[in-house]
Each structure stands twice: as C-alpha cells, then as structure tokens.
Amino acid sequence: MHNQLPSNLDMDKLTSLVCSTNVAGIDAGASLWKLFCAGKNAEMKLLPSGSIEHVQHLVARWAPSAVGITGAKACVVAAALSSIQTLPVNEFLAWGLGASELARLGDFVLPQHHLLVSIGTGTFILEIKGNKATRISGSTLGGGTLLGLSSLLGCSGSFSDLVALASRGERSGVDLLVSDIIPSADNLALTLNDTVASFAKLDSRDPADLAQALIWLIGENIGILCNAIARPLGIQTIVFGGGTLAENDILHRVLRETLKDRGNDALFLPKGAFCGAVGAALFVNV
C-alpha cells in the first residue's frame, strides 16, 4: 500500500505546534531562506537567500523569545540578529525534528526507520532511526541543477515559471525511452515509458519538452539513489521535503513512480520546504 501525506497543511494546525513559548526557526539555505514563527500566531515565510533586511523586519514583528537557526547561511543570519537570542541548530537534527512534527500535524505517524530526503539546491539523504538522524548520502542534483541547466537550455524564468513550462511539455521527444528501442517490454522488468537515456533522443528542442525532461532526469536519479540506499537497510519508506518539490507535480510523480518500481513508498511532507525551520524552532523549545 502506498500511503500519501496530505499535500496541504491548514495553518491553524500549526498553532498546536508543541512549543510552549513564542519561538521562531530559520533554515537559511543556499538559495532560499525559510522562516517559521511558532505559537498562537503561527506564520511561515519563504525568502530569497540574502534577504537580511526582510528577515530582521519579520523577526522584529514576531518578537520571539529565541530563534533557532540552521542551514548553510546560518552564521550570516545569526550575525544579523545580534539583538535577540539565537541558537545554532545542526541541520540534520532540525530536519529530523521538523519532519516528524509536520507529519504529526498532517495526522500521519512516520515509521521508526525511514529515509528523509531534502531536495533543495542540492540533495541530502538522512537515515532516521528512532530519534537519531544520520546523513547517509546525497546528490549534487537538486533545484540548483534545475535552474542552472534550464537557463543553459534556453528555458529562462523563475522556478515557478519553469515548473509551469514543464507541465505543458512532453519528454518523449527528448529522452530515449524503452518504446523507442523495442516493441514490447513484457519479458523485462521495465515498462515502455521507462528511460533508457536522458536527453539521448532530442527530436524536440521545444523549451517545454526540455524542461519536463530535465525535471525527470533529476527526479529519476534521486529516486534511483534512494532505492539503492534503502534496500540494504531494509527500508521501504522514503520521506521527501525541500523547496524544489513545491507545486512541482512532475517531480512528485517521477519520485513516486521510481520508488514504486522497487516496492518503496514515497511520502511528501506538507509544507515540506519548511521542515528545517520547524525543526529549528522545536529545538529551541527542548
């Protein structure tokens, strides 16, 4: 059975976050900064990396008793918030705490042993075993790859523009598929729509087709890596979060199908881009 976490999370539910005080969490990534204020006035904000003044304004308005900060740019943000108590939080610990809480608020209990995958600018993969989160692998493929290569391919625009463009495309004119080589895959552990080689056909140079093929390339390879890691660990549940998944139905589909091929479940955290920020806020309250 392939379970599915709810795609959306009512903000009212976030007021039940197990924080007894008004605290905040910030996940300062390489491309995006995710901010979360806990308590009765729960709020989430997504900002471009480097938005120091905006962060200062939000934190001043929220007036939290303390701020937990994680992510690649944590030191930069902490230095800009010198007038308030800040606490550095290990990114992997923050993600482990945040994923569990977001799943709980979505009325779902994660298994004790699973993989937790953050698809941000790049990708990291954590093994979650009980209360322990350990980085076990990662990939250089992620949202940074998507934006960088899409620009080189002439698919310019914002991330949301690129995802919308890809939704209008068809990768079959770009990728070499099993159906291009053999008439039937009945005797193989494959389907006719499986990829033989990404970007190996190129009958189409349409930007929409290229954009869809690019998302497929990234998603398939992350999924294949997750399958390879999960098998020897006896894991069948892989939980995904990160900004690259936001409103990205194609990436959701690719990951789900790639994992399903090996009998694994893909679960997508509601508000998964804020996983690290929620976890950082939780850590402050521990």
Side-chain angles (χ1 to χ4, degrees), residues 71-87:
K73 302 290 185 178
C75 292
V76 174
V77 174
L81 299 177
S82 57
S83 62
I84 194 168
Q85 180 185 354
T86 60
L87 181 69

Side-chain angles (χ1 to χ4, degrees), residues 27 32-35 44-48 51 54 58 243 246 273-274:
D27 182 359
L32 295 172
W33 288 358
K34 288 77 66 177
L35 289 78
M44 290 176 165
K45 290 292 183 181
L46 192 66
L47 304 174
S51 304
H54 201 160
L58 282 171
F274 295 90

Side-chain angles (χ1 to χ4, degrees), residues 199-241:
F199 285 80
K201 191 174 182 180
L202 286 181
D203 284 348
S204 171
R205 303 295 177 98
D206 184 279
D209 296 341
L210 294 171
Q212 186 178 113
L214 182 54
I215 292 177
W216 207 277
L217 179 153
I218 292 169
E220 266 193 316
N221 280 277
I222 291 174
I224 289 168
L225 177 61
C226 290
N227 281 334
I229 293 169
R231 183 173 182 178
L233 295 173
I235 290 175
Q236 290 187 296
T237 300
I238 294 92
V239 182
F240 293 92

Side-chain angles (χ1 to χ4, degrees), residues 146-158:
L146 181 58
L147 289 172
L149 289 182
S150 66
S151 179
L152 287 175
L153 291 170
C155 310
S156 58
S158 67

Side-chain angles (χ1 to χ4, degrees), residues 19-30:
C19 289
S20 59
T21 55
N22 178 36
V23 295
I26 300 175
D27 182 359

Side-chain angles (χ1 to χ4, degrees), residues 89-205:
V89 183
N90 177 276
E91 186 171 10
F92 307 142
L93 174 60
W95 265 77
L97 287 170
S100 178
E101 183 64 12
L102 287 174
R104 185 189 72 81
L105 295 174
D107 298 319
F108 191 91
V109 177
L110 298 178
Q112 285 290 298
H113 195 198
H114 61 274
L115 293 183
L116 176 59
V117 183
S118 166
I119 308 180
T121 305
T123 298
F124 65 74
I125 301 173
L126 305 179
E127 179 186 9
I128 306 297
K129 200 168 187 178
N131 295 323
K132 186 178 181 182
T134 305
R135 186 188 187 280
I136 194 169
S137 190
S139 172
T140 59
L141 299 177
T145 315
L146 181 58
L147 289 172
L149 289 182
S150 66
S151 179
L152 287 175
L153 291 170
C155 310
S156 58
S158 67
F159 176 79
S160 58
D161 290 339
L162 178 62
V163 171
L165 179 67
S167 69
R168 301 192 295 270
E170 177 51 62
R171 75 182 186 103
S172 61
V174 179
D175 294 340
L176 185 68
L177 307 180
V178 171
S179 59
D180 295 315
I181 298 176
I182 57 176
S184 173
D186 291 343
N187 297 321
L188 302 173
L190 299 169
T191 71
L192 291 176
N193 197 48
D194 283 344
T195 309
V196 175
S198 300
F199 285 80
K201 191 174 182 180
L202 286 181
D203 284 348
S204 171
R205 303 295 177 98

